């Protein structure tokens, strides 16, 4: 059986940003009982024993955890490569020095646009200037820097400016990832989906930048699923190479799998090894035996593994259906209709976006944030 090489540790869902494409769960109140420092340290040891080599520390905002340095130091002691995925809000020089001393290997900063007002509007809070300053600090401290940009209708025309900004900041890598429609992005799908014309222009800009910056900066560009001929493989295959641990200890084959109506698995109830090898959740869509036609008889069945299970569930209500993104899917019209609306309907503005629900301050939680009980 394949072993996982990467683990996404979602340390908290508390976050100072309110991005309208956030893929975290809508009902944050379910995740208030966050794992303690000792629990995370045990999970990291179990992950390393299972074969994990790369640890991605995310959220929400992982800097909200007061024990982040302890978690990083434990990971370093286990020989894990650590990547901090952050908004950078909370990354002061003192905090950065502490994380470097703890052994943090890499920093990945999200940015919403290359223009301050637009970036702050999308993020739902004043943050652009801090993000740029934090990126400069990361490079001054000799960390590898990745910029991560979620691309959508309201910033895709700024791809050239974003690439220029990444080059100016000395980023080693930039990820331009078109929105995946889960969580808040699903609620905002009509306002977020770009047009074909926008995609064509952006792809031409990216191609030119790759040629110009080859060997200097890595450029990752992920096209929108809805515009693809075939679906993407779910995390290199469901339960094949990656796993996610949520703030309250839930374990998932992919970050969005909390939406599926499947048996749950938790590190508070079972070992990570048992969850990976034996749990019904991780075995439900492993391999190809579960597949219906047209996937079962398709030559691509071990390339894209039937596509995204969460997307299939989101669109059809059945996680075992062929991903409707695939042009061979019997449900492909669901995607084609959404694409048609994005290209023929009235053009939505930034004001049409619904921001992610806010959190409140609390002195009792590990992050100092109290999760809102509001469900949209």
């Amino acid at each position: 059986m394949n072993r996982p090489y990467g683990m996404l540790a979602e340390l908290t869902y508390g976050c100072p940003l309110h991005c309208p494409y956030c893929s975290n769960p809508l009902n944050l109140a379910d995740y208030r009982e966050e794992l303690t420092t000792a629990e995370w340290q045990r999970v990291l040891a179990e992950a390393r024993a299972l074969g994990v080599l790369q640890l991605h520390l995310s959220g929400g905002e992982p800097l909200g955890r007061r024990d982040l340095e302890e978690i990083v130091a434990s990971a370093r002691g286990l020989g894990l490569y650590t990547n901090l995925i952050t908004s950078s809000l909370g990354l002061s020089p003192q905090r950065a020095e502490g994380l470097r001393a703890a052994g943090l290997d890499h920093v990945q900063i999200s940015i919403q646009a290359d223009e301050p007002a637009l970036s702050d509007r999308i993020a739902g809070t004043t943050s652009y200037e801090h993000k740029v300053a934090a990126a400069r600090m990361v490079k001054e401290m000799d960390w590898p820097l990745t910029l991560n940009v979620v691309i959508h209708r309201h910033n895709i025309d700024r791809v050239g400016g974003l690439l220029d900004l990444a080059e100016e900041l000395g980023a080693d890598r930039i990820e331009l990832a078109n929105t995946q429609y889960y969580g808040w992005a699903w609620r905002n799908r009509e306002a977020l989906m770009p047009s074909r014309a926008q995609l064509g222009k952006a792809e031409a800009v990216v191609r030119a930048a790759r040629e110009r910056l080859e060997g200097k900066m890595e450029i990752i560009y992920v096209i929108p699923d809805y515009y693809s001929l075939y679906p993407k493989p779910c995390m290199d295959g469901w339960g094949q190479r990656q796993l996610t641990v949520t703030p309250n200890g839930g374990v998932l084959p992919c970050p969005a799998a909390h939406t599926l109506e499947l048996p749950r698995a938790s590190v508070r109830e079972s070992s990570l090894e048992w969850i990976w090898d034996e749990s019904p959740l991780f075995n439900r869509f492993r391999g190809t035996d579960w597949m219906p036609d047209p996937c079962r008889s398709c030559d691509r069945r071990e390339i894209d593994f039937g596509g995204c299970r969460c997307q299939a569930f989101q669109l059809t209500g059945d996680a075992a259906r062929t991903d409707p993104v695939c042009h061979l899917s019997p449900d492909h019209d669901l995607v084609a209709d959404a694409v048609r609306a994005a290209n023929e309907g009235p053009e939505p503005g930034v004001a049409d976006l619904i921001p992610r629900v806010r959190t409140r301050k609390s002195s009792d939680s590990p992050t100092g944030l109290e999760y809102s009980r509001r469900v949209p």
Side-chain angles (χ1 to χ4, degrees):
M1 181 180 295
N2 289 333
R3 313 307 287 172
Y5 66 80
M7 185 175 88
L8 177 66
E10 296 181 322
L11 301 181
T12 177
Y13 285 145
C15 185
L17 302 187
H18 314 288
C19 305
Y21 48 73
C22 182
S23 61
N24 286 344
L26 298 181
N27 188 7
L28 299 181
D30 289 347
Y31 298 87
R32 294 179 60 174
E33 299 298 323
E34 295 179 357
L35 295 179
T36 64
T37 308
E39 286 176 315
W40 272 116
Q41 289 170 330
R42 173 178 60 81
V43 170
L44 296 183
E46 292 183 6
R48 184 66 189 90
L50 194 57
V52 169
L53 298 174
Q54 299 176 358
L55 176 66
H56 304 281
L57 299 162
S58 182
E61 177 47 67
L63 287 165
R65 289 282 303 211
R66 302 184 182 104
D67 56 356
L68 179 59
E69 290 83 351
E70 291 180 73
I71 292 172
V72 169
S74 296
R76 181 59 175 260
L78 292 164
L80 293 167
Y81 183 90
T82 51
N83 173 33
L84 177 65
I85 304 172
T86 176
S87 70
S88 82
L89 272 67
L91 188 62
S92 64
Q94 295 78 13
R95 198 79 195 272
E97 288 288 356
L99 289 166
R100 184 165 67 172
L104 182 68
D105 292 299
H106 184 277
V107 179
Q108 180 172 325
I109 295 177
S110 68
I111 196 162
Q112 282 65 42
D114 66 309
E115 193 276 323
L118 179 59
S119 183
D120 292 346
R121 181 73 178 271
I122 294 170
T125 191
T126 302
S127 55
Y128 176 85
E129 297 296 344
H130 180 89
K131 287 172 178 286
V132 170
R136 296 191 194 283
M137 178 177 63
V138 165
K139 291 303 296 182
E140 289 169 3
M141 297 182 72
D142 204 29
W143 266 317
L145 171 66
T146 292
L147 292 185
N148 178 63
V149 189
V150 176
I151 298 296
H152 47 81
R153 176 181 286 270
H154 306 289
N155 66 3
I156 192 169
D157 296 327
R158 308 288 307 181
V159 162
L162 285 160
L163 289 164
D164 290 343
L165 176 63
E167 185 179 6
E168 177 194 342
L169 294 173
D172 302 277
R173 188 170 187 259
I174 183 170
E175 295 181 1
L176 302 166
N178 274 276
T179 308
Q180 303 293 313
Y181 298 108
Y182 312 116
W184 287 92
W186 173 253
R187 290 179 56 82
N188 281 300
R189 187 181 69 170
E190 290 182 5
L192 288 170
M193 191 177 297
S195 68
R196 288 190 187 277
Q198 287 181 302
L199 286 172
K201 291 177 182 177
E203 289 169 10
V205 171
V206 169
R207 280 195 300 270
R210 280 177 171 161
E211 292 178 8
R212 181 172 60 84
L213 297 171
E214 185 176 4
K216 181 180 178 182
M217 182 172 69
E218 183 181 8
I219 301 173
I220 306 298
Y221 181 76
V222 182
I223 66 173
D225 285 4
Y226 281 43
Y227 284 92
S228 300
L229 188 62
Y230 297 104
K232 67 179 184 300
C234 178
M235 305 297 292
D236 296 324
W238 178 279
Q240 296 289 330
R241 305 296 288 161
Q242 309 273 351
L243 58 87
T244 295
V245 181
T246 66
N248 65 348
V251 186
L252 302 169
C254 80
H258 59 82
T259 61
L260 303 183
E261 296 174 352
L262 293 174
R264 299 305 183 194
S266 171
V267 296
R268 283 177 164 157
E269 299 170 1
S270 307
S271 71
L272 209 56
E273 181 180 22
W274 182 87
I275 292 170
W276 179 265
D277 288 340
E278 306 293 339
S279 70
L281 173 61
F282 272 73
N283 282 291
R284 176 62 181 89
F285 298 114
R286 231 177 212 147
T288 59
D289 289 347
W290 62 272
M291 290 181 177
D293 277 325
C295 296
R296 181 182 293 272
S297 55
C298 182
D299 292 340
R300 294 180 56 87
R301 63 185 176 277
E302 294 187 0
I303 297 174
D304 55 40
F305 298 100
C308 177
R309 299 301 86 224
C310 302
Q311 193 155 252
F313 180 75
Q314 187 84 73
L315 289 166
T316 73
D318 182 357
R321 299 282 287 182
T322 298
D323 187 339
V325 160
C326 182
H327 73 290
L328 300 173
S329 167
D331 304 305
H332 183 65
D333 283 351
L334 295 171
V335 170
D337 289 344
V339 169
R340 191 176 303 112
N343 285 274
E344 297 176 1
E347 183 171 340
V350 178
D352 295 316
L353 296 171
I354 305 170
R356 186 186 67 87
V357 69
R358 296 174 181 267
T359 50
R360 298 185 297 272
K361 287 286 186 181
S362 169
S363 59
D364 300 326
S365 74
T367 59
L369 291 170
E370 180 181 352
Y371 291 131
S372 172
R373 288 188 173 84
R374 278 206 305 126
V375 179

